[in-house]
Structures are given as C-alpha cells and as structure tokens.
C-alpha cells in the first residue's frame, strides 16, 4: 500500500481572492505554516468536506500535498510554494502582505 | 474613432447593473459559487492563483487617450498601479477584489469599455492588425468590419453557448500581423477585380493540438461577410463536439470532418442565410466606416527628423527598430515597447499609461493601439514630432529600442498569476532579455520572435515563435520545451520540437547556444534566424542543444 502524502486544505477567500488554508481550529489562515497538516486519508476527506462547506468564505477548496517542516507544514509542489508567496516579478501578494504579521 | 450608439451604451450599462446585482447575491449567499462562476466569467472575472483577475476587452486593439487614462485610474484605485496587456488585445488587472468589480465595470462603461465575452464559450474579443488604418501595405482599414463583428457577436442569442470559445482575427494587409492562421476564423482582406473582399480561413488554433487554418473561401465579397461568418458559426455550433472539451474547437471539427465537407456545409448554410440579410448590416457598416475616417493628416517639413536621425545614435537605434512605414510618407507608425530589459513583458504602470495618453494627444491624433505582441502603438505620428516623442518616452522607461528583437518577446503570465499554468514564464523572459542585453548581442542577432507560454494552452503563441518555449511540470519540477522554426505571419508555420526539455536554470543557456549557433552559421548578417533555420533545418541546433550523445537520446 502506498503511503498517504500529507495534505492541507486550501482555497481562495471569496472576497479578496487571497490564498487561504484551513487550520486545526477551523479558521482560515493566510499562512501555510499555520495550516492543519493532515496525515490520514479519511480525515483529509472529512476536512475537505468541512472546508468546501464554507461557501461564503472560501472558493474552490481542495487538498494540496504538503510536508512537515520545522515551522509548520510546507508546500510539497512548486505551484503550492508560489501560492504561499505571490508572483516572482513584483513584491506583491503574501511575500509582502504577511511580512509583518 | 467609433463612439457607442445609444443602444451600445444602454446595453453595457444594463449589463453592469445586472452583474452588480449578481455580485451582491454572491456576497449575501443567495448564489453559490457554482451558480455564480459562469456569471462572473461572462463578465471577465476569473479567479487566478493569488487573486481575482479582471480581463477587459480592447476591441481590435483600439483605444483613445480618455480610455487609457481611465485604465490607469482603475489600476491605481482598485489594483496595484499597473495593467497587463495580453496576446488577445485585452488588458488584465491582476488584483481586483470581488466587491470592487461592479465599480470597475461601471468606470469602464463611463469610457465605452467592457469585459463582456472575454471568457466563456462565445465569440471573444475580435482582434485586428495593430497597424490598421495606418500601414503602408494596407488594402483597407479592417476595423470597421471588426466593429461590425463585435456588435453582431455581442450577446448573440444563438452563439452564447458554443461548444468552446471562438476567436476571430482580421487584417487588411497582405503582410499578416494579426496571426490570422492561428484563429478559429481568420479574415485576410484581398482584392478581386479591384473590389475588396476577404480570404476566409477557418480552423486555426494553437493550444493542445496546434493547427494552421484552412482557406474555405478564397474570395468573399465584403458585403457577404456577416452572413458567411454566421454560417461558419452556425455549422460549428451544431457539428462541434460537446462531449470532450479538448476536441471542441472548430479546428478539431475541421480535422475530423475534413475541409471539403466542412466547406460544403458552410456554403450550404451561407446560401440559406444570405437572402435573410436585407442590407441593414451594410447600412450599419457604412455608419461605422464613417467613424473610422482617417485623421486630418498634417503637412509639415520633416528635416528635423532627418537631422536628429543623423546626429543622435540613441534616437537612430530607436527609429530603426520601433518605427514602421505609414501610408503617408511624412508620418510613421510608432511602436512603444513594453519590453524594457528585465521588466515584465506587456505590463504598463499607471504613470506610463497616462504619459502615453498625453503623448497620443500631443503627437498622435489621439489614437492608440495595443498589439497582440503586447506593445503599445501610436499609429499616426508626424516625423517631425518623433524626436520630442522619443525624449518624452525615455522619461518613463518607454523608449527601449528593441521592437522585433529577441527581448521583444510575447510572454503569457504563466505560473506567476495563471491558475492553469504548469510553469513560470515571466522570470524566464526577464532573464533571457537581461542575458542578451548584457552580451550586447541583441542587435547583432537581429529580427527574432521568441514566444513563451506557461502551459499547453499556448496563450504565449510559442508554436509560432521562431523560438518557442513551453513551460511544463515534469515530475514536480519546472521544465521548458523548445520549438524552433515557427512563424506567425502570412508564411505561417508551427515550430518543430527540438528535443527533451530543459530545467529552469538550463533554459537561458540553451537559448544562448541556439543563437550562438545561428551567428556562427548564418551566411551573412542579413540572413535572419528564421531564414537560417529554414535553410539548415533542426540538426545543427539540436547538436548545439544536446551534443552528439543527446542527439541520439532525442532522436
Ligand atoms: S498559456 Fe497557460 S499559463 Fe499561459 S496564460 Fe495561457 S493558460 Fe495561463
């Protein structure tokens, strides 16, 4: 049996469009490191259902591969890594918005 | 320039009001995302990687200074102070917030602009030669016909739910600057016995299965255009595949049905439709044509231009690359490069937009065009004004002398913005531009079309670049595939894959190897990269990319 790749629940905030992640205590955070790292497949499906049900807060919730890091979950794929930061051509998005929080 | 009729204005206002109410219902929870998504897409609102994106149509690439200033104002008020011009003559705002979108659309309506049909399976923004109305080689200005098509296709009840999106491009010149052979319908103006008409090309498209369009009618009288285009859409609407999104474009219909049968069906439908057009479309076209009358060109001496050209090497370099022949010999068509080395291709700051608007008023008969090559055009500038124009452009980083050279790339947003992307394109473009600028090789290399897409959808037209780069995701790593020998003009060709792709940090050196090979093998400096490639074939470039060993692997 193949090992389950850990996941986070992510999507975009309805109003701003910002990338958000679901936390253990059912908040949506802008910081990937604060996301709940889900290491069990059945639990992942449940958490996705919970995330997707919050239709007034978040659009397009999905499960993204992640891994455990020293400061919390880290993205596993480069697309998800870009989503944690923002574009590479301007200092826009999370790379500046999250700097002082 | 064409002004909205009362009908146009009322229609756009009504749509803004309708969509504003839809946004309110989404925010209140009355509409779910599934219900709202098609509504927002019909109004140009996408949800991208980091934010919403609003795509605004610039029909046939034509803007006036008031409109450009309004775009600058929107960028400052609701976005991050810039806009991105796309390969379909649209402008995209990358950071709008959903509750602000109605106000943005309302501000657009104030200057006769909209975002209608910039998404969805309908007829998209009709694109045209960016030198239209000015080019020395033009038969007729194609924009009145483009405007007629815009009015006809907007909210056309029969064509709101086509099998897939539908793109029309039009040129009035034999030199094709509108990539007509890569569109669902490409229209090329031609003359027969002195009368203007169109060569109708159907079934071109890039993306997953790149194909060049096929001529279905060698000469269509101008007055038959609308019924003929309606016939093409009508046949496609019925015959196009709705079972598979990837096989739903008309190019696949043509491929599966065969050109002869598709042409037969189009002609049969046309025969039915033609008598239903009683001539009102031609009356309307006549009114539109009057609105596109050329400006009052001025007679003035051009010695100042000649003197500057001789005396100032910076001005001369710019004039040599960024000017094109105008039908009035005392005038020039100016391309303002949005490709400063290291900048994001196609982006303009609000300050740059305002400056361009001012300069268009001062020196350009208030006309502005956006090219599918992601530059801004001032189509009518008297030669005597060029030195002052150039000096003013340099103040805002807009005087880069690189049009048609390697750094004048077409580049899609890629994975820095686009939710569909498989790799980034912008940083690759920035590094290539910087690298060849540092090497001081750009002018030596000469005319070169390099085009980059961040996924197989090919918005960056990589298939028709002399050098094309396609960003892919190979096992969780960015990987860049090179195609060579593509051509976007009247001699259109789809580029050939060079071989296995390159990693992110290998792609710029790979491009350098290709171009050093070209410099070594060209017969003379006047032999362009594309000519040399067509003479030599892929082999020497493949050897340069992969070496002897790699050549075997790639074979
Ligand atoms: S080519 Fe792909 S990545 Fe680039 S803009 Fe189009 S869909 Fe997005």
């Amino acid at each position: 049996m193949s090992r389950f790749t850990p996941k986070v629940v992510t999507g975009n905030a309805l109003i701003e469009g910002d990338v958000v992640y679901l936390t253990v205590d059912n908040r949506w955070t802008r910081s990937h490191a604060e996301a709940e790292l889900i290491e069990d497949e059945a639990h992942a499906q449940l958490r996705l259902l919970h995330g997707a049900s919050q239709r007034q807060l978040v659009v397009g919730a999905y499960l993204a591969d992640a891994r455990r890091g020293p400061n919390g979950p880290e993205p596993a794929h480069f697309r998800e890594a870009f989503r944690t930061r923002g574009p590479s051509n301007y200092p826009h998005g999370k790379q500046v918005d999250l700097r002082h929080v | 320039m064409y002004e909205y009729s009362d009908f146009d204005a009322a229609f756009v206002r009504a749509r803004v009001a309708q969509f504003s109410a839809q946004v309110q219902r989404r925010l209140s929870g009355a509409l779910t995302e599934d219900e709202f998504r098609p509504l927002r897409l019909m109004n140009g609102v996408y949800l991208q990687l980091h934010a919403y994106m609003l795509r605004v149509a610039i029909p046939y690439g034509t803007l006036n200074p008031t409109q450009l200033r309004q775009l600058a104002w929107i960028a400052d008020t609701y976005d991050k102070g810039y806009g991105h011009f796309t390969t379909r003559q649209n402008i995209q705002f990358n950071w709008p917030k959903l509750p602000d979108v109605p106000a943005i659309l309302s501000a657009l309506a104030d200057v006769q602009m909209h975002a209608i049909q910039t998404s969805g399976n309908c007829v998209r923004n009709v694109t045209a030669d960016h030198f239209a109305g000015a080019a020395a080689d033009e038969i007729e200005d194609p924009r009145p016909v483009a405007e007629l098509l815009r009015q006809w296709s907007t909210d056309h009840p029969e064509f709101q739910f086509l099998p897939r999106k539908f793109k029309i491009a039009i040129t009035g010149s034999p030199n094709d600057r509108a990539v007509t052979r890569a569109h669902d319908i490409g229209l090329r103006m031609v003359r027969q016995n002195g009368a203007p008409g169109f060569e109708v090309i159907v079934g071109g498209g890039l993306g997953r299965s790149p194909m060049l369009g096929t001529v279905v009618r060698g000469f269509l009288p101008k007055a038959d255009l609308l019924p003929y285009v309606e016939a093409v859409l009508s046949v496609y609407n019925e015959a196009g595949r709705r079972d598979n999104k990837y096989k739903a474009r008309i190019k696949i219909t043509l491929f599966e049905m065969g050109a002869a049968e598709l042409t037969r069906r189009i002609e049969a439908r046309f025969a039915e439709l033609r008598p239903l057009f009683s001539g009102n479309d031609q009356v309307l076209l006549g009114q539109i044509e009057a609105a596109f009358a050329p400006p009052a060109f001025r007679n003035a001496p051009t010695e100042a231009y000649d003197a500057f050209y001789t005396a100032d090497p910076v001005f001369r370099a710019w004039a040599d690359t960024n000017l094109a022949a105008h039908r009035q010999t005392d005038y020039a068509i100016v391309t303002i490069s949005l490709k400063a080395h290291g900048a994001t291709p196609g982006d303009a700051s609000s300050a740059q937009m305002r400056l361009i608007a001012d300069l268009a008023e001062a020196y350009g008969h208030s006309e502005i065009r956006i090219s599918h090559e992601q530059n801004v055009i001032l189509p009518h500038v008297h030669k005597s004004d060029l030195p002052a124009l150039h000096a003013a452009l340099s103040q805002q980083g807009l005087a880069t002398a690189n049009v048609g050279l390697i750094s004048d790339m077409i580049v899609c947003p890629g994975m820095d913005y686009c939710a569909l992307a498989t790799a980034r394109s912008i940083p690759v473009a920035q590094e290539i531009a910087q690298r060849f600028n540092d090497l001081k090789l750009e002018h030596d290399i000469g005319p070169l079309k390099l085009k980059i897409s961040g996924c197989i959808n090919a918005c960056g037209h990589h298939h028709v670049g002399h050098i094309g780069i396609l960003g892919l995701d190979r096992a969780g790593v960015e990987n860049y595939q090179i195609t060579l020998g593509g051509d976007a003009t009247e001699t259109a060709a789809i580029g050939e894959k060079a071989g296995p792709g390159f990693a992110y940090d290998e792609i710029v050196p790979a491009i350098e190897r290709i171009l050093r090979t070209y410099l070594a093998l060209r017969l003379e400096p006047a032999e362009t990269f594309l000519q040399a490639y067509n003479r030599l074939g892929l082999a020497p470039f493949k050897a340069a990319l992969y070496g002897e060993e790699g050549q075997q692997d790639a074979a």
Side-chain angles (χ1 to χ4, degrees), chain B residues 412-415 418 420-423 425 453-460:
Chain B
C412 84
M415 205 182 274
C418 178
L420 301 173
T422 42
S425 11
S453 305
C455 83
I456 197 166
N457 290 321
C459 304

Side-chain angles (χ1 to χ4, degrees), chain A residues 12-19 55-56 58-60 77-79 82-83 85-90 92-93 97, chain B residues 26-27 29 32-33 47 49-50 52 80 82 95 98-99 344 347 415-417 419 422 424 427 473 476-478:
Chain A
N12 292 75
L14 171 66
I15 290 179
E16 301 87 0
D18 291 1
V19 173
R55 301 189 308 202
Q56 281 318 100
V58 168
V59 178
H77 188 276
F78 63 89
R79 181 180 195 270
F82 296 145
R83 288 180 79 240
R85 291 199 295 268
S88 50
N89 61 330
Y90 296 118
H92 291 160
D97 298 345
Chain B
R26 176 66 185 105
L27 293 173
T32 66
E33 186 61 20
L47 184 55
L49 214 50
H50 311 294
Y52 288 101
K80 294 189 191 288
Y82 74 102
W95 302 94
L98 184 58
T344 303
D347 280 10
M415 205 182 274
D416 287 303
Y417 297 91
T422 42
R424 287 172 296 172
D473 174 351
V477 183
E478 286 169 296

Side-chain angles (χ1 to χ4, degrees), chain A residues 41-87:
Chain A
E41 181 152 19
H43 186 57
Q45 291 304 329
L46 279 176
R47 296 301 286 157
L48 176 61
L49 277 178
H50 176 77
S53 73
Q54 303 208 327
R55 301 189 308 202
Q56 281 318 100
L57 294 175
V58 168
V59 178
Y62 65 96
L63 293 168
D65 288 354
R67 59 178 163 243
R68 192 172 290 282
N71 302 311
E74 293 173 355
H77 188 276
F78 63 89
R79 181 180 195 270
E80 292 304 323
F82 296 145
R83 288 180 79 240
T84 68
R85 291 199 295 268

Side-chain angles (χ1 to χ4, degrees), chain B residues 535-555:
Chain B
R535 175 173 59 84
L536 294 161
L538 188 57
F541 300 101
K542 209 161 173 167
L545 283 173
Y546 304 104
E548 293 308 314
E549 191 188 335
Q551 228 181 326
Q552 283 161 15
D553 287 353

Side-chain angles (χ1 to χ4, degrees), chain B residues 462-538:
Chain B
H462 65 277
H463 297 112
V464 290
H466 302 167
I467 298 178
I469 299 177
L470 165 62
L472 295 168
D473 174 351
R474 281 282 139 86
V477 183
E478 286 169 296
N479 187 274
Y480 295 88
Q481 200 172 72
I482 296 174
T483 47
L484 296 174
D487 181 349
T489 69
E490 61 284 356
T491 47
I494 303 282
E496 220 176 324
K497 271 188 205 132
F502 292 87
Y504 182 82
D505 55 358
E506 291 173 349
I507 183 65
V508 181
I511 299 301
E512 190 179 329
R513 290 206 293 286
I514 292 171
L515 289 169
R516 288 202 185 273
T517 304
Y518 155 66
L519 290 174
L521 296 181
R522 69 182 177 189
L523 295 175
E524 49 169 350
E527 188 184 41
T528 64
F529 173 81
L530 187 62
Q531 289 164 343
Y533 178 83
N534 287 336
R535 175 173 59 84
L536 294 161
L538 188 57

Side-chain angles (χ1 to χ4, degrees), chain B residues 321-332:
Chain B
T321 48
N322 293 38
L323 301 184
H326 196 282
R327 63 167 61 135
Q328 301 279 323
T329 46
D330 289 355
Y331 273 72

